[in-house]
Amino acid sequence: MASSSSSSSSSSITNTALVLLLLHCMFCSFYTLLAKSKHHSSQHENPRLQQAYTALQAWKVVIYSDPSNLTSNWVGPSVCDYKGIYCAPSIDDPHIQVVAGIDLNHADIAGFIPDEFGLLSDLALLHLNSNRFCGILPATFANLTLLFELDLSNNRFVGRFPSVVLSLPSLKFLDLRYNEFEGPLPPELFAKDLDAIFVNNNRLTSVIPANISGSTASVVVFANNNLGGCLPPSISKLANSLEELLLINTNLSGCLPPEVGFLYKLKVLDASNNKLVGSIPYSIAGLFQLEQLNVAHNMLTGTVPAGICELPNLANFTLSYNFFCEEEGICSNLTSRSIAFDDRQNCLPEKRFQRSKKECDAAYEHPVDCFEFHCGDPAGAISPSPSPSTHP
């Protein structure tokens, strides 16, 4: 009897345990479903995320190639779970989530930007570097009033400069390099409160706007465009912020204006591979923060001022492939200061690897006086000086 009673008791305990375990599992499943239900409910109750869903689905339809399948999980209303999409609390209501960032850098995606993109009105960061996006930016981009960083570099965007970006009140960082934008640069670009402006390696033409009006950018890169003309004296209006100015291969002509020397924060000045004439402005000797100066492959003449070579932070000075005839003071031996220096292919009689006498004579037959010729001519044309011929 004792044995039978013990067996019955054990069976009862086992059954009770199974019932409790089953109830526990049921409750777990219930709460999991409830949590999912609340999550989806919150998605549906959040009109910002609903708009983002509409925008991203419209975008996905016009993505024609996604070799890494980065957008393969762009399915369903839970946009905050999409790869490359980043959500954060809304600025005006921290209790709701919004799509605040998109980062598809280096994804090699091909497609274009649809009109519905303007529904992403909470977007603060958009990084599309190194893809194959093409076409033009839609006018609805103007709705992205919170956009802080815009990086469209290394894509295949076309058309005139996308003026819609000029209407973005929060924009601080603009990177449009390595695309197919063409036509002139709008003067309004340099009136915006931007930290960085990258427009290099496009098909931009016309001159650098003459009425630069005081951008706050610390870096401006014009390089590898067919801008032509000359650097306007109004470049000095960037003095309170500009640290790097890159003008490489922009078809610049005329003289470097002395106002370049007003850019007292400048660390990098590269005007190489252009058609600059005349002498180096002595005002550059006042740029005490300058670390790199490159004026190679131009048609500059005259003397290299000692004041420039004595700049305290200078680390690299390249003036090769010009027509300089003299190096003052320490300029003739900058390697003694451990400064990287290249003065090949000039008209320096005491140096090796210089131009021929015939080339130098031709260059100095009609010397340019930069005090006579300024950037007032919109074409940046330089006329021969009537000064008597000189020779180095």
Side-chain angles (χ1 to χ4, degrees):
M1 288 291 293
S3 174
S4 175
S5 174
S6 174
S7 174
S8 175
S9 174
S10 174
S11 175
S12 175
I13 292 171
T14 302
N15 288 337
T16 301
L18 286 172
V19 170
L20 289 173
L21 181 62
L22 182 60
L23 286 171
H24 176 72
C25 289
M26 289 174 64
F27 277 116
C28 285
S29 299
F30 172 75
Y31 281 116
T32 300
L33 289 171
L34 183 62
K36 288 183 176 180
S37 174
K38 285 183 177 179
H39 176 68
H40 288 297
S41 175
S42 65
Q43 292 272 356
H44 291 300
E45 292 171 2
N46 184 340
R48 310 267 189 100
L49 292 183
Q50 288 178 10
Q51 285 190 350
Y53 172 72
T54 301
L56 293 171
Q57 290 303 309
W59 194 12
K60 185 178 180 181
V61 169
V62 293
I63 287 177
Y64 305 125
S65 174
D66 181 6
S68 300
N69 292 318
L70 193 144
T71 61
S72 60
N73 80 328
W74 287 20
V75 179
S78 300
V79 294
C80 296
D81 296 330
Y82 289 8
K83 289 180 182 177
I85 307 301
Y86 299 91
C87 291
S90 169
I91 290 177
D92 59 331
D93 185 354
H95 299 292
I96 65 171
Q97 292 283 301
V98 296
V99 172
I102 297 177
D103 189 344
L104 301 181
N105 280 353
H106 303 283
D108 197 29
I109 292 173
F112 66 89
I113 309 295
D115 288 339
E116 291 85 351
F117 204 89
L119 294 172
L120 295 166
S121 55
D122 295 288
L123 204 62
L125 179 150
L126 178 58
H127 286 180
L128 301 181
N129 183 330
S130 301
N131 284 285
R132 289 173 288 147
F133 288 111
C134 61
I136 61 174
L137 298 187
T140 55
F141 242 66
N143 297 333
L144 309 183
T145 55
L146 299 179
L147 195 64
F148 185 85
E149 288 190 15
L150 177 59
D151 184 354
L152 303 179
S153 61
N154 198 19
N155 278 283
R156 298 174 183 175
F157 291 109
V158 298
R160 296 174 76 83
F161 182 91
S163 58
V164 67
V165 304
L166 302 176
S167 66
L168 303 177
S170 303
L171 195 66
K172 290 289 187 181
F173 179 93
L174 178 63
D175 193 344
L176 302 177
R177 57 188 157 173
Y178 292 97
N179 278 287
E180 302 290 330
F181 293 119
E182 57 192 72
L185 282 168
E188 296 83 1
L189 176 63
F190 302 97
K192 285 196 66 65
D193 186 18
L194 294 170
D195 292 336
I197 302 172
F198 295 93
V199 294
N200 53 292
N201 294 82
N202 278 281
R203 296 173 177 267
L204 298 170
T205 54
S206 188
V207 298
I208 296 172
N211 54 339
I212 292 175
S213 56
S215 168
T216 56
S218 62
V219 179
V220 178
V221 185
F222 293 110
N224 299 312
N225 284 291
N226 189 25
L227 298 176
C230 53
L231 186 66
S234 60
I235 194 71
S236 62
K237 292 184 179 179
L238 305 184
N240 291 329
S241 61
L242 195 61
E243 296 182 5
E244 296 187 24
L245 177 59
L246 275 67
L247 302 160
I248 310 155
N249 189 34
T250 49
N251 198 28
L252 280 183
S253 59
C255 300
L256 274 176
E259 287 81 2
V260 168
F262 299 167
L263 302 171
Y264 66 95
K265 290 187 176 181
L266 206 61
K267 295 180 179 178
V268 178
L269 174 58
D270 195 331
S272 59
N273 289 278
N274 284 295
K275 299 174 182 177
L276 297 173
V277 296
S279 56
I280 296 183
Y282 189 79
S283 59
I284 291 178
L287 300 179
F288 297 116
Q289 305 299 318
L290 196 64
E291 299 173 5
Q292 297 183 43
L293 175 59
N294 190 343
V295 293
H297 291 274
N298 279 287
M299 296 181 285
L300 297 170
T301 56
T303 300
V304 183
I308 295 177
C309 300
E310 294 168 356
L311 286 169
N313 292 298
L314 192 64
N316 191 315
F317 186 10
T318 305
L319 51 91
S320 53
Y321 292 89
N322 280 286
F323 295 90
F324 291 112
C325 62
E326 182 183 355
E327 295 172 331
E328 288 184 347
I330 192 67
C331 294
S332 61
N333 188 22
L334 275 180
T335 52
S336 64
R337 288 187 55 203
S338 300
I339 293 174
F341 183 67
D342 187 353
D343 61 1
R344 292 171 300 157
Q345 295 300 309
N346 278 283
C347 300
L348 301 167
E350 306 299 322
K351 292 293 187 77
R352 300 171 61 194
F353 308 115
Q354 298 297 300
R355 294 184 183 274
S356 68
K357 184 177 183 300
K358 181 178 179 181
E359 288 179 286
C360 293
D361 286 346
Y364 279 87
E365 186 176 350
H366 298 290
V368 174
D369 183 353
C370 288
F371 289 102
E372 281 190 47
F373 301 99
H374 303 286
C375 269
D377 182 353
I382 295 295
S383 305
S385 168
S387 305
S389 175
T390 58
H391 180 267

